[in-house]
Amino acid sequence: MTNDEIRARFDAENAAVYTQRLRLCLPEDEYSTQLMLQALEPYLASKEEAYILDLGAGTGGSCRHVLRAFGNYHVTLVDFSQNMLDEVPNVLVDYSGRYTTVQADIWEVDFPSRAFDAVVASFSLHHGRGETVYANLYRKVYAWLKTPGIFACRDVVDGDTPELSAMNESGWRQYLQQQDFSPQDIERLFSNYQCEDSPISLRQHLALLTTEGFNAADVLWKRFNFAIYVGLKSGGQAAGLYKERIPYS
Ligand SMILES: C[S@@+](CC[C@H](N)C(=O)[O-])C[C@H]1O[C@@H](n2cnc3c(N)ncnc32)[C@H](O)[C@@H]1O
């Protein structure tokens, strides 16, 4: 699918129910959500004000966790689907004045240097086509971040070989079966995944992040074909210690 076809698909979604349906498909959603917040914490908690950018923010479901967890901070939500953004005031009804929406393409949008303390992306970057678009984005994200700053992404990732991809995808298929998805729904999800998504592997993400300037890159969580990876812009200084890791559940 082209970028325009993907946008048309999101413009045709029922935005009010889309995010809820998405969450049902994701393994360890609650745990990985909390882990994302824990990753951000040292970069935000000590600041009186902080600015966070959410790339492919959709209806704001992930931003709501960030806004709830961190004091008086501000989130900029970028999405190319106005249909998804139109739902944001309903999802973020308790956080008026603490967010701004921007209708723009992730791969083309630009912001001033050192504008954000954290940049996050949740299930949106896997629409990128090829390493070059990720390299260009990661170079810009590095520039947009303050020092210290963090980029944290939770997304679908490819295996590093076709065999590993097949193994990961078979794990996801089993997970969906255990969640009582019907065979038709599972086939629909996989056929959508195969024509719309084009994830790259964690090895590629980590290499691109460090090539484009990040001082450190790591994987915090992986389950089947889903992962959280981070890039740190530290300028040689640690942002702060992580609290004890949240209990695995
Ligand atoms: C699967 S949804 C995830 C939404 C949200 N981040 C969440 O976790 O609930 C993917 C979102 O990314 C957006 N998106 C995909 N490609 C994009 C692009 N090139 N530019 C901007 N937004 C994009 C879609 O419109 C959609 O709202």
Side-chain angles (χ1 to χ4, degrees), residues 109-180:
V109 72
D110 210 353
F111 292 98
S113 294
R114 294 178 292 281
F116 299 101
D117 300 271
V119 177
V120 297
S122 176
F123 301 108
S124 51
L125 299 191
H126 60 263
H127 295 110
R129 299 287 188 250
E131 281 197 356
T132 306
V133 297
Y134 289 99
N136 290 339
L137 179 67
Y138 291 163
R139 193 177 317 126
K140 289 196 284 181
V141 170
Y142 184 81
W144 300 335
L145 282 170
K146 298 177 192 171
T147 307
I150 182 168
F151 166 67
C153 180
R154 177 168 58 149
D155 213 335
V156 178
V157 291
D158 205 5
D160 212 22
T161 66
E163 294 76 14
L164 290 170
S165 295
M167 186 177 173
N168 290 330
E169 285 160 23
S170 129
W172 184 35
R173 188 181 287 277
Q174 281 176 16
Y175 170 80
L176 293 169
Q177 286 163 348
Q178 284 161 7
Q179 302 304 305
D180 287 334

Side-chain angles (χ1 to χ4, degrees), residues 7-230:
R7 181 174 49 213
R9 217 269 285 163
F10 282 105
D11 277 340
E13 281 287 345
N14 179 338
V17 296
Y18 177 78
T19 308
Q20 291 155 20
R21 274 196 285 117
L22 171 69
R23 310 266 65 106
L24 297 175
C25 308
L26 307 175
E28 299 180 4
D29 182 43
E30 176 62 26
Y31 176 73
S32 57
T33 298
Q34 295 305 318
L35 212 50
M36 282 284 276
L37 298 176
Q38 187 178 19
L40 302 182
E41 212 250 344
Y43 294 83
L44 302 177
S46 60
K47 300 189 175 155
E48 288 199 356
E49 60 175 23
Y51 294 87
I52 301 153
L53 174 66
D54 188 338
L55 295 169
T59 61
S62 298
C63 290
R64 188 172 43 190
H65 296 292
V66 174
L67 288 165
R68 190 185 296 145
F70 298 111
N72 199 22
Y73 299 162
H74 186 277
V75 180
T76 301
L77 296 87
V78 173
D79 204 287
F80 65 1
S81 166
Q82 191 58 47
N83 173 48
M84 300 300 269
L85 291 177
D86 284 346
E87 185 61 17
V88 172
N90 298 326
V91 175
L92 301 185
V93 66
D94 296 330
Y95 303 100
S96 149
R98 289 183 55 199
Y99 68 87
T100 309
T101 60
V102 177
Q103 187 196 8
D105 191 314
I106 292 168
W107 313 110
E108 289 169 13
V109 72
D110 210 353
F111 292 98
S113 294
R114 294 178 292 281
F116 299 101
D117 300 271
V119 177
V120 297
S122 176
F123 301 108
S124 51
L125 299 191
H126 60 263
H127 295 110
R129 299 287 188 250
E131 281 197 356
T132 306
V133 297
Y134 289 99
N136 290 339
L137 179 67
Y138 291 163
R139 193 177 317 126
K140 289 196 284 181
V141 170
Y142 184 81
W144 300 335
L145 282 170
K146 298 177 192 171
T147 307
I150 182 168
F151 166 67
C153 180
R154 177 168 58 149
D155 213 335
V156 178
V157 291
D158 205 5
D160 212 22
T161 66
E163 294 76 14
L164 290 170
S165 295
M167 186 177 173
N168 290 330
E169 285 160 23
S170 129
W172 184 35
R173 188 181 287 277
Q174 281 176 16
Y175 170 80
L176 293 169
Q177 286 163 348
Q178 284 161 7
Q179 302 304 305
D180 287 334
F181 278 75
S182 69
Q184 295 78 0
D185 280 345
I186 293 175
E187 283 328 305
R188 194 179 39 74
L189 276 168
F190 268 83
S191 122
N192 191 39
Y193 174 60
Q194 274 144 13
C195 75
E196 184 178 306
D197 302 345
S198 46
I200 61 173
S201 73
L202 280 168
R203 183 177 59 80
Q204 291 172 289
H205 282 298
L206 300 189
L208 290 168
L209 285 167
T210 46
T211 303
E212 298 307 330
F214 284 86
N215 306 91
D218 209 344
V219 177
L220 297 188
W221 168 83
K222 182 162 189 302
R223 188 80 167 132
F224 313 132
N225 47 335
F226 298 87
I228 295 176
Y229 58 95
V230 294

